[in-house]
Amino acid sequence: MAETKRATKKKIPGRGVDRISPGLKRYVDIVVKTALVEDIGSGDVTTSAIVPSTMKGSCRIVAKERLVVAGLFIAENVFRRLDGSAVFTAGFRDGDRVKKGETIASVSGRLAALLAGERVALNFLQRLSGIATLTAEFVKRAGGRVKILDTRKTTPCLRSLERYAVRAGGGLNHRSGLYDSVLIKDNHIKAAGSVAEAISRVNKKYKGRVLVETEASTVEEAGEAASAGADIIMLDNMTPALIKKALKVIEEGALVEVSGGVTLSNVRSLAATGADFISIGALTHSAPAMDISMEVTAHEGKGSKRG
């Protein structure tokens, strides 16, 4: 079958969550610093009035619902930035499934730092765990028949983190941005006059240097894209029946991506068509934040006088 031969062709790369790259760590340093400035500003006036600067404390970060966790190393960065001696102990790894009521992580250190960092740490954890959890559900419903991809529909300046969360949920990443892969969309096709002409222009400039993907909104456009030598053909807003027709006219060896209108209700039927990928903007633009809380305990005694 064509889908078997397509599987031997170069695929869209996706990295797992077993390694945090130096580049991502530097990015997190910048994002966390900015988020803390936004939230704390000149100082946490409530905590400074109530909590002695030397008082110690500890906290549990608790899942209030079932979820797939993502962003633990970011939460650790938050607390250690506010208190260099803080001890962060993760009870899970990013990508793990967590049950309601389980402790995701615990932190000990200066109580004032824990309180000041609470909201920023939880915001990252709740947002990224939401993306990972939704992605995991799409992956589950696809049943291993197809790879689930994200899109560029991300929160400005948080794309790297949201893409990381997609990987934590078992999905793969589409192109990083406009610079690392060609994706010819409907407006490009209008500008060029046809799918074939758009691909021809791209090949004249970039042939062999980047993957060339093109959108196809009809079976006829899918066949035109295949004949023109597209590496990946994105079938946009097609029903399962139309997708199957398009697969029959696409040359063996071209990868096929399904996109547009994908929901948890229809992803199983779309996955059963024989396509290679399904890309879903909702993974990052519509994932609900998960319910995660932080329970703090103050440690009275030595070192708790007001500073």
Side-chain angles (χ1 to χ4, degrees):
M1 293 177 62
E3 62 183 289
T4 301
K5 292 191 176 182
R6 282 200 302 276
T8 65
K9 195 174 174 72
K10 181 163 62 173
K11 298 209 172 203
I12 297 174
R15 291 176 293 177
V17 297
D18 55 339
R19 176 178 173 273
I20 310 300
S21 70
L24 184 58
K25 287 181 179 179
R26 290 192 294 270
Y27 173 79
V28 167
D29 284 339
I30 295 170
V31 172
V32 167
K33 181 179 179 181
T34 303
L36 288 173
V37 168
E38 175 184 61
D39 197 41
I40 298 175
S42 59
D44 178 353
V45 294
T46 307
T47 299
S48 65
I50 297 172
V51 180
S53 61
T54 56
M55 179 176 281
K56 301 293 184 180
S58 61
C59 69
R60 295 170 58 236
I61 298 175
V62 181
K64 308 298 286 187
E65 59 182 318
R66 295 176 66 90
L67 56 85
V68 175
V69 68
L72 285 165
F73 75 105
I74 305 170
E76 179 177 10
N77 187 300
V78 170
F79 292 115
R80 289 189 58 79
R81 183 171 292 276
L82 294 171
D83 178 3
S85 62
V87 177
F88 185 96
T89 304
F92 295 87
R93 296 178 62 185
D94 282 347
D96 284 348
R97 295 180 180 273
V98 182
K99 297 178 182 178
K100 179 180 179 179
E102 289 189 309
T103 298
I104 296 172
S106 60
V107 193
S108 61
R110 291 192 304 108
L111 182 58
L114 300 183
L115 294 172
E118 174 181 2
R119 178 43 50 202
V120 171
L122 290 182
N123 281 348
F124 282 117
L125 278 174
Q126 290 174 314
R127 170 66 178 155
L128 299 186
S129 295
I131 292 172
T133 301
L134 182 59
T135 301
E137 185 61 26
F138 270 105
V139 170
K140 177 182 176 181
R141 296 198 186 194
R145 300 183 185 91
V146 65
K147 301 297 185 182
I148 299 298
L149 302 175
D150 55 17
T151 73
R152 287 168 47 242
K153 296 177 182 178
T154 55
T155 307
C157 299
L158 292 183
R159 180 172 296 173
S160 292
L161 299 186
E162 293 178 348
R163 284 163 55 85
Y164 172 86
V166 167
R167 299 197 301 275
L172 297 180
N173 297 142
H174 210 294
R175 58 178 179 164
S176 298
L178 297 176
Y179 54 86
D180 63 336
S181 183
V182 170
L183 177 48
I184 301 169
K185 297 183 72 66
D186 56 348
N187 287 327
H188 297 114
I189 295 169
K190 290 177 183 177
S194 69
V195 170
E197 178 59 24
I199 294 174
S200 176
R201 293 182 188 183
V202 166
N203 282 333
K204 285 180 182 178
K205 189 167 186 177
Y206 296 114
K207 187 172 180 61
R209 293 164 55 188
V210 292
L211 287 173
V212 178
E213 178 172 4
T214 186
E215 190 175 277
S217 57
T218 66
V219 172
E220 291 71 26
E221 282 189 343
E224 184 181 352
S227 297
D231 295 305
I232 307 168
I233 300 171
M234 177 194 288
L235 305 180
D236 186 45
N237 282 295
M238 289 191 186
T239 63
L242 283 176
I243 291 169
K244 290 178 181 179
K245 287 183 180 180
L247 286 170
K248 291 180 180 179
V249 303
I250 292 173
E251 292 180 346
E252 295 181 355
L255 292 168
V256 175
E257 175 184 337
V258 172
S259 185
V262 183
T263 67
L264 287 172
S265 298
N266 66 14
V267 68
R268 182 174 282 110
S269 62
L270 293 172
T273 60
D276 298 287
F277 306 106
I278 297 179
S279 58
I280 306 167
L283 298 182
T284 51
H285 72 58
S286 296
M290 304 311 294
D291 190 359
I292 301 173
S293 68
M294 191 172 103
E295 301 173 358
V296 172
T297 301
H299 298 171
E300 298 288 352
K302 184 178 180 181
S304 296
K305 65 181 180 179
R306 184 172 300 283

